[in-house]
Amino acid sequence: MSENMYTFENEEYKHAYRHTAAHILAQAAKRLYPDTKLAIGPAIENGFYYDFDTSETFTPEAVEKIEAEMKKIIKEKLPIERFELSRQEALEFVKEQGETYKEELINDLPEDEIISFYKQGEFTDLCAGPHVDTTARIKANALKLTSCTGAYWRGDANNKMLQRVYGTCFMSKPELDEHLQRIEEAKLRDHRKLGRELDLFATFEEGPGFPFFFPKGMVVRNELVSYWREEHKKAGYEEISTPMILNEQLWHRSGHWDHYKDNMYFTNIDDVGFAIKPMNCPGGMIAYKRKMWSYRDFPSRIAELGVVHRNEPSGTLHGLMRVRYFTQDDAHIYMTSEHIPAEIAAVIDLADRIYKTFGFSYRVELSTRPENFMGEIETWNMAEKTLEDVLIEKNVNYKINPGDGAFYGPKIDFHLLDCLGRSWQCATLQLDFQMPERFDLEYVGPDGEKHRPVVIHRTILGSLERFIGVLTEHYAGAFPLWLAPVQVIVMPITDRTRDYAQTVAVNLENAGFRVETDYRSEKIGFKIREAQMQKIPYMLVLGDKEAESSEVTVRKRAEGDIGAMPLEKFIDDLKKEAANRR
């Protein structure tokens, strides 16, 4: 790697840099706590982590000590050297070190896999690499250990709980400081915290991974669904609903059994095996087969807000972002081959329109054939080229994500970028020639003969629950007017204006707005502060003057006091803002 490539603009170097920092973390932990056993330590999007099995509890003080030791190791300027061993030699080496987790990893490697290690000073670790050439490459003043959490070995709740230490590192201190500031902002925006504070949603020990939505959260959810339905109706979609539990044989037929059974829940009905659906596709195929279709019916765009369940490891659960129960805004588009380019383009346009409503930018990935694919390679090559041609035609910037397609077809993924620059994978579009074959789907062509349709699987929001979590963090709980659970709060200053406050509230409700009235005998400043904490978009302060003139003094959540105006004008302005949905 040439010297001018030693920057984070080079993704390979950034990965090697952070991967090296993970090894330095492991070396520091082993120096301070020699009985520590090493699990895994990868580079991740914004830093790195390492999983440890140790009798030591990694308190914040212990993490600080480890960070200080890491900086010593950096200053030692240790060369980093790679070497290879045969499988038997590698097993003997890690057994000698007492590294049982590394032994398990070696045993899981393919027989022909090259087994490599990296050595720096007294520390050696099983690793495929890559790494930088010396610990001195890592900038000590731009490195920070950020947290320690529990993590099951290999993400399996049946395995031992390990201690995972997270860190981040950059090439300069200002870059680190900026990142740490974003972390602090992200903590304030954490949807789990805001969900409880704003009484929107939560998860409980009685149902890990199964979110509860409360009345205010249901307002956000229902407004989002109404908007989704409105946009899909305009785009020519019809809506269906399919059962949550279907016969086990269906999942064998669809191929999900071979590729997904470990993530599924099962039950028995009348001594027959059934599966709780992890996705909506097979039900959609059955719904299609209820009648014979004509080519004149195509393209047929069928949407579903389908509730699915997935058996996710408990160590991966995270608020609304990673759950076991969620609602997919699914759709299946049935068509002839001639329809494919136009329908792909239409889905891209729909996703773009919806994301812009919420103020999201996004990046796009084209995911290609995975190792466990179904069907013929020639079909996959044609499908991948079709997706790529449409992206090029529409001037969409994209990158290839090799091997990450669905098992039945290549896909286009949309990764939303929120106000902190974080990426969230939401929309996906999958071009499928396999399911129609598996389910023997047919239509009658212009020649009067039966033909096989092509299917696009797609979501826009992805998971409704996850999208609400992303929105909550993106807006920091301060939802735009049309989504806000309470849009206006009316606050009389004294009991003398109570009747006028009620009149104002009724007028607002009759105009279609969600209104609360605060009649409490509290000082107006206290009421305003509480309304601000609840992130209500508009506060109406009503005193004697407002009651006499039939006006309202308006405070806006982000701008403060914007003055008095006639109630009619306020309602007209509110209607325009709500209709704009921006």
Side-chain angles (χ1 to χ4, degrees), residues 352-413:
D352 181 74
R353 187 163 64 250
I354 288 176
Y355 292 160
K356 282 179 177 172
T357 295
F358 300 102
F360 286 120
S361 59
Y362 56 86
R363 58 182 176 81
V364 174
E365 290 181 355
L366 173 58
S367 299
T368 58
R369 185 178 69 246
E371 289 183 9
N372 62 343
F373 69 94
M374 289 195 316
E376 302 299 323
I377 288 180
E378 293 76 15
T379 304
W380 275 84
N381 290 341
M382 181 270 293
E384 288 173 7
K385 185 176 187 305
T386 302
L387 293 180
E388 190 161 22
D389 286 347
V390 175
L391 289 171
I392 292 169
E393 177 69 23
K394 292 189 68 62
N395 291 317
V396 175
N397 289 322
Y398 68 96
K399 69 176 235 182
I400 301 290
N401 188 7
D404 199 44
F407 65 86
Y408 47 78
K411 61 179 181 170
I412 296 171
D413 288 328

Side-chain angles (χ1 to χ4, degrees), residues 495-555:
D495 286 344
R496 291 193 302 275
T497 51
R498 186 185 182 98
D499 290 345
Y500 179 58
Q502 187 173 3
T503 300
V504 169
V506 168
N507 279 316
L508 285 163
E509 287 169 351
N510 289 341
F513 294 103
R514 297 183 287 275
V515 184
E516 281 186 359
T517 308
D518 189 346
Y519 291 124
R520 293 177 301 167
S521 299
E522 300 283 356
K523 291 182 178 179
I524 194 65
F526 178 82
K527 292 182 181 182
I528 290 170
R529 281 193 300 276
E530 281 210 339
Q532 285 284 161
M533 288 176 65
Q534 286 300 302
K535 303 181 186 291
I536 298 171
Y538 287 95
M539 291 148 263
L540 301 186
V541 179
L542 307 181
D544 294 334
K545 180 181 172 184
E546 287 80 11
E548 289 168 10
S549 61
S550 296
E551 291 187 327
V552 291
T553 292
V554 183
R555 290 187 64 89

Side-chain angles (χ1 to χ4, degrees), residues 136-197:
R137 292 276 183 194
I138 311 304
K139 307 296 182 187
N141 68 345
L143 177 144
K144 180 72 179 172
L145 296 185
T146 53
S147 64
C148 181
T149 64
Y152 291 110
W153 169 235
R154 294 189 154 180
D156 187 339
N158 295 313
N159 290 336
K160 186 170 183 179
M161 175 73 79
L162 307 176
Q163 294 185 79
R164 174 172 294 176
V165 179
Y166 282 98
T168 191
C169 55
F170 292 85
M171 299 201 68
S172 71
K173 190 172 187 304
E175 289 176 296
L176 173 66
D177 291 341
E178 183 183 342
H179 176 74
L180 295 177
Q181 189 175 350
R182 282 199 302 270
I183 289 178
E184 289 307 308
E185 178 64 23
K187 288 177 183 176
L188 295 175
R189 292 171 178 264
D190 189 322
H191 73 284
R192 295 166 299 177
K193 171 178 172 287
L194 290 169
R196 287 186 180 274
E197 289 175 357

Side-chain angles (χ1 to χ4, degrees), residues 245-249 251 266-275:
I245 300 176
L246 292 164
N247 189 289
E248 192 178 286
Q249 290 305 312
W251 306 97
F266 301 94
T267 188
N268 278 283
I269 302 174
D270 297 332
D271 296 323
V272 176
F274 279 73

Side-chain angles (χ1 to χ4, degrees), residues 211-393:
F212 285 65
F213 276 78
F214 312 129
K216 288 182 179 179
M218 284 304 296
V219 170
V220 177
R221 186 186 181 106
N222 289 337
E223 288 295 326
L224 188 60
V225 168
S226 294
Y227 170 61
W228 181 90
R229 286 196 165 116
E230 180 184 311
E231 287 294 329
H232 279 70
K233 185 176 181 181
K234 286 192 289 188
Y237 286 80
E238 297 178 290
E239 190 175 348
I240 64 169
S241 175
T242 62
M244 197 179 300
I245 300 176
L246 292 164
N247 189 289
E248 192 178 286
Q249 290 305 312
L250 176 72
W251 306 97
H252 288 275
R253 186 177 184 183
S254 69
H256 287 94
W257 184 270
D258 296 325
H259 297 86
Y260 218 78
K261 65 177 180 293
D262 291 342
N263 291 93
M264 295 171 66
Y265 294 106
F266 301 94
T267 188
N268 278 283
I269 302 174
D270 297 332
D271 296 323
V272 176
F274 279 73
I276 301 168
K277 66 178 180 180
M279 48 198 63
N280 301 300
C281 317
M285 302 299 118
I286 293 173
Y288 176 91
K289 285 177 69 70
R290 74 190 186 277
K291 65 178 185 178
M292 179 54 69
W293 297 75
S294 163
Y295 72 96
R296 295 186 181 90
D297 300 317
F298 289 165
S300 172
R301 306 180 190 97
I302 308 298
E304 177 178 14
L305 291 166
V307 174
V308 299
H309 290 74
R310 295 184 183 176
N311 186 13
E312 301 286 359
S314 59
T316 66
L317 301 177
H318 181 78
L320 298 184
M321 305 304 196
R322 190 75 177 265
V323 293
R324 289 171 170 153
Y325 146 88
F326 58 95
T327 308
Q328 278 188 320
D329 69 315
D330 227 332
H332 296 95
I333 304 171
Y334 303 91
M335 58 196 165
T336 67
S337 297
E338 291 74 21
H339 292 121
I340 294 174
E343 289 304 306
I344 292 170
V347 172
I348 292 171
D349 289 341
L350 179 60
D352 181 74
R353 187 163 64 250
I354 288 176
Y355 292 160
K356 282 179 177 172
T357 295
F358 300 102
F360 286 120
S361 59
Y362 56 86
R363 58 182 176 81
V364 174
E365 290 181 355
L366 173 58
S367 299
T368 58
R369 185 178 69 246
E371 289 183 9
N372 62 343
F373 69 94
M374 289 195 316
E376 302 299 323
I377 288 180
E378 293 76 15
T379 304
W380 275 84
N381 290 341
M382 181 270 293
E384 288 173 7
K385 185 176 187 305
T386 302
L387 293 180
E388 190 161 22
D389 286 347
V390 175
L391 289 171
I392 292 169
E393 177 69 23

